[in-house]
Amino acid sequence: MSRWDFVGRTDELNRLLSAVGGPDGRGLLFSGSAGVGKSRLLREGVAALPTDRYAVWSVAASATTAALPFGGLVQVLPATQPQGLSPAGILRWAVDVLQEEAAGRPIVLAIDDAHLLDPPSAALVHLIARSENATVLGTLRNGEQIPLPIRALWTDDLVDLVELEPLGQSDTTGLLAAILGGPVDAGSSERLHRLSAGNPLLLRELVLAASGGDELSKTYGIWKWTGRLELAPSLTDLIDTRIGQLTPGVRAVVELVAFGEPLGLHLLEQAVDPADVETAEERGLISMVHDDRRLNVRLAHPLYGEVMRRQCPVSRTRRLQATLAGLLERVGKRRRDDLLRVAVWRLDSGTAQDPALLLDAAAQAFGRYDVPLATRLARAALDGEGGSDAAELLATILMFADRPDEAIAVLDQVAGALQDDRRRGRWLTARGMVSYWGLSRESTVEEIAARAAELTDPADRARVRAFEAIMRLHRLDTDAAVRLAQAVLDRPAAPMAARELARCTLAHLQAAQGQYRRSATAIARVQAEAAYWRGDMPYLQLAMELARGTRLALSGDLAGIDAIVADEFADLAGAGDFRLGTGYLAILQAYAARLRGRGDEALKTSLGACAVLATSRVYAGLAHAERAQAAALRGDAAHATEAMAEADRTHAPGMAVLYPWLEQARGAVHAVVGDLPAATKHLSALADRLREDGLAGHELLVLLDLVRYDQATASVGPTCTDGGRRTVAQRLTELSEQVDGVLPPLVARYARAAVDGSPDDLLAVADGFAARELIVYAAEATAMALHRMRGVRAGATAPARERLAELLRRCDEVATPALRLLRPTLSEREWEVARLAADGVTSRTIAERLFLSTRTVENHLQRVYSKLGVTGRTELRAALRSMPGHDGGNPA
């Protein structure tokens, strides 16, 4: 980890190189804060310049050389200077020396930290910049005094001055992956980016500290940061230098903001001298941020807060937190977050005396999916005599923190103190949820059903029945699930949260059955009532997302998946370590990437989902199944097989409702290992099972897989009255009239075109898939059309090959069985000759390069034309580009 790879900054690097080779000959200076990456960018740019074309000199100015005449250019100028010259004469002599050493090549002078140049060196740099054959590149640190000759470089229009911005989120993620040697969990990357504020130097120190303290771990190839921050001495010193010496008044301002940000300016000025606030802002320690009508104060850098909080004595820390709580209580908790902030300050300062305040705050934190904070507050409420209500909430939160054994212990602790039906009902649902999903005890369903009958209040009984309904759905007892859910919806006394949980149960089942319109209507209704159920049952969001995600995935609505992955819930779940939420959304994101043909993204995202869900069995099997699909898409049989084995190992028996996804992935694994007969047999049996279970939405996608494997004529379903069985194509025609949406008719047409062998219909189907961004399906349909064209006039395939090439350009790492059909059996030599010919190299030149005779080259080309079904060189390039995996190397 001693040297970081250079990642990102592509635009800036290109601009630097253009400054050297551009027609206007202008130089370029990058300015920015310390550690933002100016020096590294300059070094990378200079290293990319060919020294045979340019005379390149690199200079690193420093405070040590700033007091010495020409000290800044000591690495460039000769050790001895001629005597008796005037200062102007010395400058002219220095320019002549550089021109002589350049030997006619353009001069490139690169100065790191140009603000530290001594006056004579600065004057010489300015003089060199005026030379017609010289370009000056350099870096400047913000806030430093700039020598006048250097400032004149841009005021005289000799160079461009560009502010180098901090790294963006994507560049930070790439940099972390490069230095750690593997992808980084999205939540960890986001938090490290936020703490470093996009500063590579600070990011490096954070990663070094985390690595040294074992705070970085690797699961399924994905790096994850625990979030615990150990500030190394070097990092603390760096931040201390930036903060500088503080007067007691300014320190009080910075400390209050460190513990209270974002802190309203009007609150801050009640506790400190407003003049000290102004001083802190002038020194760049705090910043003002508008939030609606409130002006909030934040620290200028996130790490300032880390350092200030670490250095603050415990007694003063508690006093400051109590002060903040008192300030907000005096003005009144006007905003929703104010209650949570007061509760946290009271808890941390040791002045929390009201368990109701802590319980309300815990519920609010859980409603924002901040699992660690909610756990802390709920436990404090329970310890403060919060009773069964606190126990029920804490156990629920612990369940979503993947700590089910602790959750059960908390619930059993208050089992004898349940005084009424409301508490018994809530306790029962919490225990049932932990037992069924947390501990995978399927018997929980019968237990909760029996205990619900003991409740006399209809509202409390409805809550338990709603939980029983969704448990039965997950166990695939669909008839009972529908009956129970409908009964809850039909009961006017049912609480809002219970009604919407029951609606989610029906919406999920409707999606699996292909009733997408009804499912969408139900989900929209649940979403519309979110303000009423989120405070009572925030985890209902998961049931809604599972129903919505199932509908979007089965209907092929990738834009819809994009929308929910980018929704507020995704941000809150990621920030609050709500792993079931982030894990499931990552599975959906990987699914969409896979159908778009983005194999690399699909695999990385599914690996991330596996890592997030490593300690939970609720969606772990589903995550590994999607990983198996992503690996199969890339043609990686070993990875796909291993992922499928993990899916089987981690899949919870109580999540039987997810079996279609796992078994469909198993079919893909059979296919990628080259056993298409086994894949066909497995998927045909799966289609029959789905038909029996009434899951038409899933059945349609499984039958689509059979069409993709060119098995549209395979038999599926029960024996008909005439003694025969329907084909895949015939069954898809039936489903196109039963399943909602535009995808079923398109899939049915695909199957008919495959049976009829109609290239035109297959190409039309491909257009339909492409319009929905289902690029893999579109490419496979086009490939099948080309396969059906074999034997027709060679030139007729050129347009189809161009279309396939265009589709494959939109993909990466894609090697499905349908696409592998197009790979011709070319020898290594034939591939060599074909690639060169496609690039326009003449046969004679090819012969010379490969040490062959021209006649042999022509013979190779004729065999290539025959195997590819093209007439000559004019069609060869398109034919090669339409070969899956053709990237200039042998794709075999």
Side-chain angles (χ1 to χ4, degrees):
M1 200 177 289
S2 59
R3 180 173 175 84
W4 287 61
D5 290 344
F6 186 73
V7 175
R9 303 292 195 198
T10 303
D11 293 341
E12 293 89 342
L13 184 59
N14 288 338
R15 182 163 184 177
L16 186 149
L17 296 175
S18 297
V20 176
D24 55 7
R26 292 167 63 82
L28 182 65
L29 294 179
F30 284 112
S31 65
S33 59
V36 79
K38 307 181 298 299
S39 300
R40 182 64 183 276
L41 175 61
L42 183 65
R43 289 198 302 271
E44 293 292 331
V46 169
L49 297 175
T51 54
D52 60 333
R53 289 180 53 195
Y54 298 99
V56 181
W57 283 281
S58 294
V59 174
S62 68
T64 304
T65 61
L68 302 175
F70 291 109
L73 297 181
V74 69
Q75 302 111 309
V76 174
L77 297 177
T80 60
Q81 299 175 9
Q83 300 298 315
L85 292 179
S86 66
I90 292 178
L91 291 176
R92 176 50 58 191
W93 164 81
V95 172
D96 290 342
V97 167
L98 294 180
Q99 292 287 2
E100 182 179 346
E101 292 188 18
R105 294 170 296 168
I107 292 174
V108 176
L109 182 59
I111 311 107
D112 192 20
D113 287 337
H115 55 280
L116 294 176
L117 285 174
D118 58 280
S121 294
L124 179 56
V125 169
H126 188 90
L127 192 60
I128 292 171
R130 288 190 173 278
S131 301
E132 292 184 359
N133 68 332
T135 303
V136 171
L137 307 174
T139 68
L140 300 167
R141 183 181 298 175
N142 287 349
E144 299 288 343
Q145 179 112 13
I146 309 295
L148 289 178
I150 299 301
R151 185 179 298 277
L153 288 175
W154 64 87
T155 58
D156 291 351
D157 208 27
L158 298 174
V159 302
D160 290 327
L161 180 65
V162 176
E163 175 78 15
L164 191 61
E165 299 293 336
L167 290 177
Q169 174 67 65
S170 60
D171 284 342
T172 298
T173 301
L175 183 57
L176 287 168
I179 194 61
L180 292 172
V184 181
D185 164 67
S188 300
S189 173
E190 190 279 330
R191 287 192 289 271
L192 286 167
H193 171 71
R194 178 176 51 80
L195 276 174
S196 67
N199 186 293
L201 177 61
L202 295 179
L203 183 67
R204 173 187 172 83
E205 294 296 334
L206 287 169
V207 172
L208 286 172
S211 301
D214 296 324
E215 301 302 337
L216 281 169
S217 61
K218 196 174 186 180
T219 307
Y220 295 112
I222 303 295
W223 288 98
K224 185 176 177 63
W225 178 43
T226 63
R228 293 189 294 272
L229 185 61
E230 293 297 330
L231 294 181
S234 58
L235 182 57
T236 303
D237 292 344
L238 185 64
I239 300 303
D240 277 341
T241 301
R242 288 192 175 192
I243 293 174
Q245 294 296 317
L246 302 179
T247 65
V250 173
R251 176 173 291 278
V253 170
V254 177
E255 286 179 339
L256 276 171
V257 177
F259 287 103
E261 66 177 334
L263 189 61
L265 179 61
H266 69 291
L267 282 179
L268 180 61
E269 290 183 338
Q270 291 182 36
V272 296
D273 187 340
D276 290 326
V277 176
E278 292 176 13
T279 302
E281 185 181 10
E282 288 171 356
R283 288 186 53 181
L285 300 173
I286 62 175
S287 60
M288 304 295 167
V289 181
H290 284 278
D291 181 11
D292 292 333
R293 290 177 295 177
R294 180 183 289 185
L295 186 60
N296 284 333
V297 184
R298 285 188 175 275
L299 292 176
H301 195 288
L303 285 178
Y304 291 177
E306 294 292 337
V307 170
M308 296 301 294
R309 288 189 290 270
R310 296 291 178 90
Q311 295 178 344
C312 191
V314 173
S315 57
R316 187 157 77 237
T317 294
R318 291 165 68 91
R319 177 175 57 78
L320 289 170
Q321 291 165 333
T323 298
L324 288 165
L327 283 171
L328 197 51
E329 286 171 335
R330 281 197 296 274
V331 300
K333 299 185 282 291
R334 301 172 183 175
R335 296 194 176 190
R336 188 171 183 271
D337 288 350
D338 288 349
L339 179 144
L340 184 58
R341 287 152 61 81
V342 167
V344 172
W345 287 330
R346 287 295 180 201
L347 178 62
D348 290 344
S349 66
T351 58
Q353 299 177 349
D354 183 2
L357 170 68
L358 297 172
L359 187 59
D360 287 345
Q364 189 177 111
F366 193 34
R368 294 169 52 178
Y369 308 104
D370 190 338
V371 173
L373 179 58
T375 303
R376 207 157 64 86
L377 289 165
R379 191 177 296 282
L382 181 62
D383 293 343
E385 307 301 326
S388 61
D389 288 343
E392 179 247 326
L393 179 58
L394 176 59
T396 302
I397 298 168
L398 288 171
M399 154 69 192
F400 287 97
D402 298 328
R403 295 153 68 181
D405 293 314
E406 289 182 58
I408 288 291
V410 167
L411 289 168
D412 290 347
Q413 177 183 336
V414 298
L418 304 174
Q419 301 172 349
D420 51 47
D421 270 9
R422 186 191 73 81
R423 289 185 170 83
R424 275 189 289 272
R426 296 182 70 93
W427 181 91
L428 186 58
T429 54
R431 201 178 198 287
M433 179 168 53
V434 175
S435 177
Y436 185 82
W437 283 291
L439 301 175
S440 298
R441 295 174 182 167
E442 291 186 83
S443 60
T444 302
V445 180
E446 282 71 33
E447 293 169 8
I448 198 172
R451 297 288 298 274
E454 301 171 4
L455 301 175
T456 58
D457 187 274
D460 299 321
R461 193 162 54 244
R463 183 185 181 90
V464 179
R465 292 302 186 202
F467 271 89
E468 182 189 350
I470 200 163
M471 288 179 190
R472 290 194 180 277
L473 170 68
H474 283 77
R475 204 171 70 170
L476 218 60
D477 187 357
T478 54
D479 290 340
V482 171
R483 174 175 52 78
L484 286 164
Q486 195 58 58
V488 171
L489 290 173
D490 291 342
R491 185 173 293 278
M496 176 64 72
R499 294 173 61 82
E500 301 314 315
L501 182 60
R503 207 181 307 278
C504 286
T505 299
L506 296 177
H508 185 171
L509 184 57
Q510 288 160 353
Q513 292 171 338
Q515 301 177 47
Y516 304 135
R517 285 188 287 271
R518 291 183 64 191
S519 179
T521 300
I523 293 167
R525 176 73 179 273
V526 176
Q527 183 68 50
E529 303 292 352
Y532 299 99
W533 54 254
R534 183 159 285 134
D536 179 18
M537 200 182 288
Y539 47 85
L540 196 155
Q541 182 90 29
L542 268 182
M544 185 182 75
E545 298 300 351
L546 183 58
R548 180 159 54 175
T550 301
R551 176 180 64 82
L552 294 171
L554 292 179
S555 64
D557 187 351
L558 304 190
I561 291 176
D562 293 344
I564 65 171
V565 167
D567 201 4
E568 181 188 28
F569 171 62
D571 294 334
L572 292 174
D577 202 26
F578 191 64
R579 298 174 198 169
L580 286 182
T582 53
Y584 179 68
L585 292 178
I587 294 169
L588 283 181
Q589 192 173 6
Y591 178 89
R594 173 165 59 87
L595 295 194
R596 287 181 168 121
R598 300 172 186 166
D600 188 53
E601 179 187 341
L603 186 59
K604 286 180 181 178
T605 308
S606 59
L607 278 167
C610 294
V612 168
L613 297 167
T615 57
S616 171
R617 297 190 66 189
V618 177
Y619 295 135
L622 183 63
H624 287 291
E626 184 53 46
R627 177 163 68 98
Q629 287 273 28
L633 176 72
R634 294 157 51 97
D636 190 340
H639 193 152
T641 302
E642 180 271 327
M644 196 67 235
E646 277 293 279
D648 289 334
R649 185 184 69 81
T650 58
H651 180 57
M655 297 298 290
V657 71
L658 300 179
Y659 87 83
W661 301 111
L662 271 74
E663 296 309 319
Q664 191 177 1
R666 199 181 312 281
V669 174
H670 282 310
V672 77
V673 300
D675 195 348
L676 277 176
T680 300
K681 181 179 179 181
H682 174 79
L683 292 172
S684 297
L686 177 58
D688 291 346
R689 179 182 174 186
L690 290 166
R691 179 175 181 164
E692 292 174 5
D693 288 341
L695 306 181
H698 283 288
E699 184 188 355
L700 183 124
L701 289 193
V702 171
L703 294 176
L704 169 58
D705 279 353
L706 286 169
V707 177
R708 294 169 60 210
Y709 300 155
D710 207 6
Q711 299 295 319
T713 58
S715 298
V716 291
T719 302
C720 302
T721 54
D722 60 3
R725 299 174 69 197
R726 289 177 177 80
T727 66
V728 169
Q730 289 170 334
R731 176 57 179 159
L732 281 169
T733 299
E734 292 178 350
L735 288 175
S736 69
E737 299 174 356
Q738 301 172 19
V739 178
D740 296 339
V742 298
L743 186 61
L746 187 60
V747 173
R749 186 180 180 186
Y750 188 7
R752 290 194 299 272
V755 171
D756 296 340
S758 170
D760 289 341
D761 282 351
L762 287 168
L763 292 174
V765 166
D767 289 341
F769 283 137
R772 295 183 64 79
E773 295 189 85
L774 302 170
I775 306 303
V776 171
Y777 298 159
E780 290 176 335
T782 307
M784 187 178 288
L786 279 166
H787 194 257
R788 298 292 195 267
M789 289 179 185
R790 291 190 175 182
V792 304
R793 183 174 57 85
T797 64
R801 289 191 183 279
E802 286 287 356
R803 291 164 75 174
L804 180 56
E806 175 58 32
L807 289 167
L808 291 177
R809 274 198 297 271
R810 298 168 66 180
C811 302
D812 63 80
E813 299 290 340
V814 173
T816 69
L819 294 174
R820 285 199 294 270
L821 284 173
L822 286 182
R823 284 187 176 175
T825 54
L826 298 184
S827 68
E828 184 175 349
R829 180 64 79 187
E830 286 169 347
W831 274 110
E832 276 187 295
V833 172
R835 287 195 298 271
L836 289 169
D839 288 338
V841 182
T842 65
S843 294
R844 181 176 178 178
T845 305
I846 294 174
E848 292 173 355
R849 289 187 188 181
L850 302 181
F851 304 101
L852 302 172
S853 69
T854 304
R855 187 179 192 83
T856 300
V857 170
E858 288 296 336
N859 288 337
H860 279 313
L861 283 175
Q862 289 304 317
R863 286 193 295 272
V864 168
Y865 298 155
S866 176
K867 291 179 179 181
L868 296 183
V870 299
T871 57
R873 287 174 176 259
T874 56
E875 299 172 10
L876 182 58
R877 187 173 183 81
L880 290 183
R881 284 169 52 223
S882 68
M883 296 295 109
H886 179 67
D887 56 359
N890 189 346

